[in-house]
């Protein structure tokens, strides 16, 4: 059985970006394809800081999306960052968006090892570091928060400040499920999906956002290009994530980050990742600020404007603290 990795067959040329009239890309957006670990073909987007909006250049914002997300979902966030004077880079992680999938089943959310994500981040940044602003700020969501923090923990990445939206520093999973996952991975069944396909989500029962237009946009993008869609995670993804959490929570693992200006934004209605893990890990960061966005679902950056504004206000406070 194994992890079932395979190279997809080459198909006809397709656009590098999925565009909708009401979701314009950031100014000057450029798609960059690059090679990840194992020869995977990965996609990233770079957009320079605007030169004509009268805002002082502040640095590069490194946007790290969550599981199942893709570049186009973050166009609005990228435009917000450009209006604040930042250049922007956004990643399609291995096995997500238009980056190459590892399995014959393209909907299976699979990764062999969590470090594949970190490697994708670092290789992508290496492609733009010569032309990008020299001051770097992280803005990560959910699984992207685990990727970003692991890169910082391992001293592979240095930034002036780091903002985390609902970071995935723990997932709600029972002991038996942990044991089952590790056992199945050990016997070579890592490519199996960790749970059956779930019922189709509706806006009324979704646990992500209270903003219907932003919720609909995500789905309209996948309807425009089904290659963007991603289904349930595999057992290998679950076990790789659990291993990453163990590393982050190891004694003294984050001591060198205690003085880094940080923002940890917790959604009050969080059900996707563990709020207790967010609060526990945040205690390591003396220069960090924890905010709870009242009424927000997991996707704070895709919430109604009032809740998004709470995040952006705290983001600006973090940047001022970092002199960015």
């Amino acid at each position: 059985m194994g992890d079932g990795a395979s190279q997809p067959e080459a198909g006809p040329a397709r656009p590098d970006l999925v565009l909708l009239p009401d979701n314009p890309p950031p100014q000057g957006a450029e798609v960059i394809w690059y090679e990840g670990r194992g020869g995977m073909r990965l996609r990233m987007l770079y957009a320079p800081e605007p030169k004509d909006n009268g805002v002082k250049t502040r640095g590069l914002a490194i946007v790290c999306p969550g599981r199942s997300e893709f570049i186009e979902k973050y166009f609005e966030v990228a435009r917000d960052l450009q209006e604040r004077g930042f250049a922007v880079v956004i990643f399609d992680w291995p096995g997500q968006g238009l980056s190459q999938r590892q399995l014959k089943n393209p909907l299976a959310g699979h990764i062999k090892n969590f470090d594949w994500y970190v490697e994708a981040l670092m290789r992508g940044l290496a492609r733009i570091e010569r032309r990008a602003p020299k001051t770097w700020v992280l803005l990560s969501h959910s699984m992207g928060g685990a990727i970003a923090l692991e890169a910082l923990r391992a001293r592979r990445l240095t930034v002036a400040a780091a903002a985390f939206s609902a970071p995935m520093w723990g997932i709600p999973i029972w002991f038996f499920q942990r044991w089952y996952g590790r056992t199945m991975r050990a016997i070579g069944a890592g490519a199996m999906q960790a749970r059956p396909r779930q019922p189709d989500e509706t806006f009324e029962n979704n646990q992500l956002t209270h903003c219907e237009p932003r919720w609909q946009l995500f789905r309209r993008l996948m309807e425009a290009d089904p290659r963007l869609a991603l289904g349930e995670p595999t057992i290998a993804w679950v076990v790789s994530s659990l291993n990453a959490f163990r590393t982050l929570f190891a004694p003294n693992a984050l001591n060198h980050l205690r003085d880094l200006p940080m923002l940890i934004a917790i959604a009050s209605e969080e059900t996707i990742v563990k709020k207790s893990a967010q609060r526990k890990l945040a205690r390591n960061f003396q220069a960090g600020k924890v905010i709870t966005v009242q009424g927000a679902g997991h996707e704070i950056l895709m919430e109604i404007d009032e809740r998004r504004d709470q995040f952006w206000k705290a983001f600006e406070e973090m940047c001022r603290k970092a002199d960015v």
Side-chain angles (χ1 to χ4, degrees):
M1 296 175 69
D3 280 346
S6 66
Q7 301 293 325
E9 297 180 2
R14 302 288 294 274
D16 286 343
L17 285 175
V18 181
L19 299 178
L20 297 177
D22 58 343
N23 188 46
Q27 182 178 333
E30 171 191 355
V31 171
I32 299 172
W33 294 93
Y34 66 104
E35 185 176 294
R37 183 177 292 185
M40 292 189 73
R41 187 170 186 255
L42 305 179
R43 183 179 72 145
M44 59 185 276
L45 178 142
Y46 177 71
E49 68 279 19
K51 303 295 186 182
D52 57 358
N53 64 353
V55 178
K56 178 184 176 182
T57 299
R58 299 169 69 183
L60 172 69
I62 304 168
V63 177
C64 299
R67 196 193 85 81
S68 83
E69 297 184 315
F70 42 79
I71 288 168
E72 288 84 353
K73 185 177 179 180
Y74 281 82
F75 279 178
E76 182 182 17
V77 171
R79 297 194 304 268
D80 290 339
L81 287 163
Q82 282 189 321
E83 290 175 2
R84 288 169 165 81
F86 288 95
V88 184
V89 61
I90 315 173
F91 295 89
D92 270 0
W93 303 121
Q96 294 188 192
L98 296 186
S99 286
Q100 186 174 335
R101 310 285 171 109
Q102 295 186 61
L103 303 182
K104 292 180 180 179
N105 175 10
L107 293 178
H110 183 68
I111 196 71
K112 287 184 175 181
N113 186 291
F114 207 84
D115 194 55
W116 284 53
Y117 293 135
V118 179
E119 187 71 21
L121 172 64
M122 299 314 301
R123 290 192 186 195
L125 291 174
R127 290 289 302 271
I128 61 169
E129 62 180 339
R130 291 188 178 181
R131 56 172 161 152
K134 303 309 176 187
T135 300
W136 290 3
V137 172
L138 273 167
L139 195 167
S140 59
H141 171 66
S142 194
M143 186 184 79
I147 298 168
L149 188 58
E150 172 56 20
L152 294 172
R153 182 208 64 80
R155 302 176 190 267
R156 299 186 66 179
L157 178 62
T158 300
V159 297
F164 298 92
S165 160
M168 189 189 80
W169 294 338
I171 52 178
I173 184 171
W174 299 340
F175 172 80
F176 173 77
Q177 292 171 315
R178 293 170 184 261
W179 174 85
Y180 173 80
R182 293 189 185 282
T183 300
M184 294 298 287
R185 177 74 185 273
I187 65 173
M192 290 178 55
Q193 288 181 284
R195 64 178 184 178
R197 178 180 173 180
Q198 301 299 293
D200 289 342
E201 182 182 85
T202 66
F203 176 70
E204 287 71 24
N205 69 16
N206 95 88
Q207 303 172 64
L208 304 176
T209 176
H210 297 83
C211 181
E212 187 166 6
R214 293 183 176 108
W215 182 87
Q216 290 284 4
L217 174 64
F218 184 44
R219 279 137 193 87
R220 289 194 292 117
L221 285 164
M222 291 185 287
E223 290 171 0
D225 192 333
R227 295 179 300 163
L228 295 172
L230 190 67
E232 298 299 322
T234 64
I235 289 173
W237 181 91
V238 173
V239 174
S240 297
S241 298
L242 293 174
N243 291 340
F245 304 151
R246 179 184 293 174
T247 300
L248 294 176
F249 277 92
N252 305 315
L254 304 173
N255 284 359
H256 61 292
L257 301 174
R258 63 180 52 167
D259 296 324
L260 177 67
M262 285 192 188
L263 166 64
I264 300 95
I266 299 174
S268 70
E269 297 185 8
E270 179 67 74
T271 59
I272 306 300
V273 299
K274 293 178 68 174
K275 290 192 286 186
S276 59
Q278 295 167 349
R279 294 192 177 100
K280 184 176 181 180
L281 214 54
R283 297 188 193 119
N284 291 277
F285 312 128
Q286 294 182 2
K289 179 178 180 180
V290 178
I291 67 168
T292 298
V293 182
Q294 293 297 329
H298 176 62
E299 294 185 349
I300 297 170
L301 291 165
M302 310 300 163
E303 263 288 358
I304 62 174
D305 290 347
E306 178 184 355
R307 290 161 192 162
R308 292 180 85 248
D309 290 347
Q310 292 179 51
F311 178 88
W312 286 120
K313 180 181 178 181
F315 177 85
E316 288 294 347
E317 291 174 356
M318 177 195 73
C319 289
R320 286 194 294 271
K321 188 172 184 179
D323 197 25
V324 173

